[in-house]
C-alpha cells in the first residue's frame, strides 16, 4: 500500500498531565513525515512513482521561456512548436495540431499597454454570486487582468511580451497513447498553454500544461500499455473564451469512434469517455488577510480542488469521475489531500461538460476563491517561475499524481517488467 504524507508535518499533541501554566508550544511535537511506500504489485503505483518534482519544475520552466504566451503572437507560436517537439521526444504517438481561425472584433481585448482601469474610476460592484455557481464568502480582494506593460519591472520580460496579439490562424497540439484492446475509447487530459498579464504565466497555466506533458511522457514509455486510449491536449486561446477547446470539439466530435481506414483497427478520434482539465495548480495560500495581504507560504492544509459543474447535462457522471479522482488522490498523492466541489467554471472542460463527464483540477475553487482574489498572481506580472516555492510546485505535482492514478486505473494501465 502507499502511505499518505501531508505537506505539513504531522503534529502530535501530548494529552498527558500537563501543568496549567505550560504554554501550548511545549505540548506539541513536530514529527518527520513517514517515507512513501510504493506497492510494487500495483503498476499504477509504479507509474505514479515516476513523477518527479524536478522534472515537473523543468517542464514549467521550459514553458516560461516564452513569457506569457499570449495567443496570436510569435511567442505563442514558438511555445506551440516547443510543446510539439517535447511530445515527440517522449515518443508520444500521433502528435497532431488543431488549426482554427480567431478573428474577434477590435474591442475584444484591451490594447496591451492600456491600464486595467482609468485613474479615479469608480470601483465596480462586487457580486456575492460566483462564476459557475456558489456564493463567495470570506475575505475578498480585487482580481483582474494586468494590461500595463510598465507593471512588469523586468525589462527583458517586458520586451519578450511586447508583441501584441493579432487576428488570424491559431494552432494547438495534442498526442495520443493508443489503447491495446479498446483503441476506440479514450480519456482526454488537458491544460491550456496560453496566458496573459505580462508575466510568465507560470501558474496560469504552465503548471497545468506541465502536468499534461509529464503524464504524456510517462504513458508514452513503450513498456507502459493501456487498454483504452488517452489523449493529451494543450489548448490555446483559453484566456479569450476557450476557443481552442471549442475548435477541437467542432472539428473532432463527429469523428468519434469511426474506424479509419475501415478494418484497420485505427480510430483517429476514439469515443470520448471523459475529460480532465488542469488549470492553475500551485497556489493555495488561503484567503487574504484582513488588510488584503497574503501569507507568504503554502498553507499547511492546502489541497487539490476537483470540480464538476452541477448544472451540466453530465452532472451525475462528472461527479462520479470527480470522486474517482478523489479516491486516487487518497491512494497515490504523497502530500496534499483532495476535495470535490460542484461549481466548475471558466476553463477548457466547460465546453465538454454537457457532452461527456468533465472535471477540472485546481489550486482553489475557481469561482468562489480564485475569482475573489485568493491568488494575487492571477493574470499579473508576478506570475513568474521564481515566485513559487517547492511547496507550491509540490501541490501541482500532487495533482499530477491524482490524475495519473485515476486515469491509470480507468484505462487499465500495465507495466512490462
Amino acid at each position: 500500500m502507499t502511505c499518505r504524507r501531508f505537506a505539513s508535518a504531522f503534529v502530535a499533541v501530548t494529552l498527558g498531565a500537563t501543568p496549567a501554566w505550560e504554554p501550548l508550544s511545549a505540548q506539541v511535537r513536530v514529527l518527520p513525515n513517514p517515507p512513501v511506500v510504493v506497492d510494487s504489485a500495483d503498476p499504477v503505483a509504479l507509474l505514479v512513482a515516476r513523477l518527479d518534482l524536478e522534472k515537473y519544475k523543468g517542464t514549467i520552466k521550459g514553458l516560461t521561456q516564452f513569457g506569457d504566451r499570449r495567443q496570436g503572437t510569435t511567442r505563442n507560436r514558438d511555445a506551440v512548436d516547443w510543446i510539439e517537439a517535447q511530445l515527440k521526444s517522449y515518443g508520444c504517438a500521433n502528435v497532431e495540431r488543431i488549426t482554427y481561425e480567431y478573428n474577434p472584433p477590435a474591442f475584444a481585448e484591451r490594447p496591451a499597454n492600456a491600464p486595467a482601469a482609468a485613474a479615479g474610476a469608480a470601483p465596480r460592484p462586487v457580486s456575492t454570486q460566483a462564476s459557475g455557481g456558489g456564493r463567495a464568502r470570506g475575505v475578498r480582494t480585487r482580481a483582474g487582468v494586468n494590461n500595463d506593460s510598465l507593471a512588469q519591472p523586468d525589462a527583458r520580460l517586458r520586451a519578450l511580451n511586447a508583441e501584441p496579439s493579432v487576428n488570424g490562424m491559431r494552432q494547438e497540439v495534442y498526442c495520443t497513447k493508443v489503447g491495446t484492446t479498446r483503441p476506440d475509447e479514450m480519456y482526454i487530459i488537458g491544460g491550456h498553454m496560453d496566458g496573459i498579464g505580462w508575466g510568465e504565466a507560470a501558474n496560469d497555466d504552465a503548471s497545468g500544461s506541465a502536468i499534461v506533458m509529464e503524464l504524456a511522457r510517462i504513458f508514452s514509455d513503450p513498456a507502459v500499455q493501456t487498454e483504452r486510449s488517452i489523449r493529451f491536449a494543450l489548448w490555446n486561446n483559453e484566456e479569450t473564451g476557450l476557443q481552442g477547446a471549442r475548435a477541437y470539439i467542432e472539428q473532432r466530435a463527429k469523428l468519434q469512434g469511426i474506424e479509419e481506414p475501415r478494418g484497420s483497427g485505427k480510430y483517429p478520434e476514439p469515443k470520448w469517455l471523459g475529460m480532465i482539465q488542469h488549470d492553475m495548480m500551485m497556489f493555495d495560500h488561503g484567503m487574504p488577510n484582513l488588510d488584503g495581504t497574503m501569507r507568504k507560504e503554502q498553507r499547511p492544509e492546502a489541497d487539490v480542488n476537483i470540480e464538476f459543474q452541477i448544472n451540466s447535462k453530465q452532472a451525475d457522471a462528472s461527479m462520479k469521475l470527480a470522486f474517482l479522482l478523489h479516491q486516487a488522490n487518497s491512494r497515490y498523492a504523497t502530500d496534499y489531500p483532495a476535495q470535490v466541489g460542484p461549481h466548475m467554471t471558466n476553463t477548457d472542460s466547460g465546453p465538454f461538460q454537457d457532452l461527456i463527464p468533465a472535471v477540472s483540477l485546481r489550486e482553489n475553487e475557481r469561482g468562489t476563491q480564485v475569482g475573489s482574489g485568493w491568488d494575487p498572481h492571477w493574470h499579473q506580472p508576478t506570475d513568474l517561475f521564481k515566485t513559487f516555492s517547492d511547496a507550491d510546485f509540490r501541490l501541482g505535482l500532487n495533482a499530477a499524481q491524482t490524475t495519473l492514478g485515476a486515469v491509470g486505473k480507468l484505462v487499465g494501465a500495465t507495466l512490462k517488467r
Side-chain angles (χ1 to χ4, degrees):
M1 295 178 62
T2 57
C3 292
R4 292 298 310 277
R5 179 164 56 87
F6 292 92
S8 59
F10 177 79
V11 178
V13 180
T14 303
L15 298 178
T18 304
W21 50 264
E22 188 174 356
L24 179 62
S25 59
Q27 305 175 39
V28 177
R29 285 189 302 125
V30 178
L31 302 182
N33 288 322
V36 177
V37 179
V38 177
D39 182 359
S40 60
D42 179 0
V44 174
L46 294 174
L47 294 179
V48 171
R50 293 184 175 188
L51 286 166
D52 177 79
L53 181 63
E54 292 306 315
K55 283 187 173 66
Y56 177 59
K57 290 168 59 178
T59 304
I60 294 173
K61 185 69 172 176
L63 286 162
T64 62
Q65 69 182 297
F66 304 102
D68 65 10
R69 306 179 300 283
R70 182 186 288 263
Q71 58 79 31
T73 64
T74 300
R75 61 190 182 276
N76 178 275
R77 292 187 291 273
D78 288 346
V80 171
D81 291 342
W82 182 82
I83 291 168
E84 181 179 68
Q86 292 298 111
L87 294 177
K88 288 181 177 178
S89 75
Y90 304 154
C92 195
N94 307 314
V95 180
E96 300 181 54
R97 296 193 182 198
I98 292 287
T99 300
Y100 59 98
E101 291 286 323
Y102 180 60
N103 295 299
F107 57 81
E109 291 189 76
R110 289 194 192 97
N113 291 312
R124 59 182 176 84
V126 179
S127 172
T128 59
Q129 185 68 24
S131 174
R135 181 162 59 90
R137 282 169 278 194
V139 178
R140 306 175 65 194
T141 62
R142 297 287 180 181
V145 178
N146 171 65
N147 288 285
D148 182 4
S149 65
L150 297 181
Q152 176 51 258
D154 185 330
R156 180 201 63 82
L157 189 54
R158 194 163 62 242
L160 178 61
N161 289 336
E163 180 192 2
S165 176
V166 296
N167 290 1
M169 184 186 75
R170 302 288 186 268
Q171 290 189 318
E172 59 196 11
V173 182
Y174 66 87
C175 71
T176 310
K177 175 71 175 183
V178 179
T180 56
T181 60
R182 296 307 306 264
D184 58 324
E185 297 179 344
M186 75 173 178
Y187 286 88
I188 302 171
I189 301 176
H192 73 89
M193 51 73 60
D194 65 310
I196 50 177
W198 287 87
E200 292 177 335
N203 191 31
D204 187 13
D205 182 35
S207 67
S209 296
I211 289 176
V212 179
M213 296 175 68
E214 284 299 285
L215 266 60
R217 177 181 63 83
I218 290 171
F219 277 110
S220 295
D221 185 335
V224 178
Q225 292 190 342
T226 62
E227 295 174 2
R228 293 182 170 87
S229 299
I230 312 170
R231 181 148 292 168
F232 306 94
L234 287 307
W235 314 114
N236 207 341
N237 274 93
E238 190 271 353
E239 299 291 4
T240 56
L242 320 178
Q243 282 83 16
R246 297 183 197 281
Y248 180 90
I249 291 172
E250 181 180 352
Q251 295 182 30
R252 309 293 301 178
K254 294 181 180 179
L255 304 178
Q256 290 181 70
I258 299 176
E259 192 179 25
E260 183 61 40
R262 183 169 295 183
S264 66
K266 297 180 179 180
Y267 296 85
E269 192 65 31
K271 179 182 177 182
W272 305 341
L273 299 181
M275 194 273 174
I276 303 170
Q277 172 72 0
H278 305 83
D279 193 351
M280 300 178 65
M281 308 310 305
M282 301 194 301
F283 192 88
D284 187 1
H285 291 217
M287 72 173 68
N289 299 316
L290 291 176
D291 63 358
T293 61
M294 295 292 297
R295 63 182 299 159
K296 294 182 179 179
E297 301 298 329
Q298 188 77 274
R299 65 185 185 129
E301 65 275 22
D303 50 28
V304 177
N305 286 79
I306 306 167
E307 298 186 317
F308 68 98
Q309 180 45 254
I310 197 169
N311 293 329
S312 69
K313 294 179 181 178
Q314 295 285 333
D316 289 345
S318 296
M319 179 174 64
K320 182 178 179 180
L321 178 59
F323 276 103
L324 284 172
L325 284 152
H326 186 280
Q327 186 177 31
N329 172 275
S330 296
R331 184 167 184 178
Y332 298 113
T334 52
D335 303 277
Y336 297 102
Q339 70 169 353
V340 174
H343 301 303
M344 180 181 76
T345 184
N346 289 68
T347 194
D348 294 295
S349 47
F352 290 89
Q353 69 183 21
D354 289 331
L355 305 174
I356 56 172
V359 300
S360 170
L361 274 67
R362 296 272 197 179
E363 61 192 13
N364 284 300
E365 295 177 19
R366 167 59 181 86
T368 58
Q369 295 178 0
V370 175
S372 294
W374 289 31
D375 183 344
H377 310 297
W378 181 41
H379 295 161
Q380 298 301 311
T382 53
D383 190 357
L384 309 170
F385 183 88
K386 68 180 182 181
T387 295
F388 302 96
S389 69
D390 273 3
D392 297 321
F393 288 115
R394 189 166 288 281
L395 179 62
L397 186 72
N398 274 243
Q401 294 168 335
T402 300
T403 298
L404 197 159
V407 172
K409 291 293 187 182
L410 289 167
V411 301
T414 57
L415 182 61
K416 292 181 180 179
R417 309 246 180 162

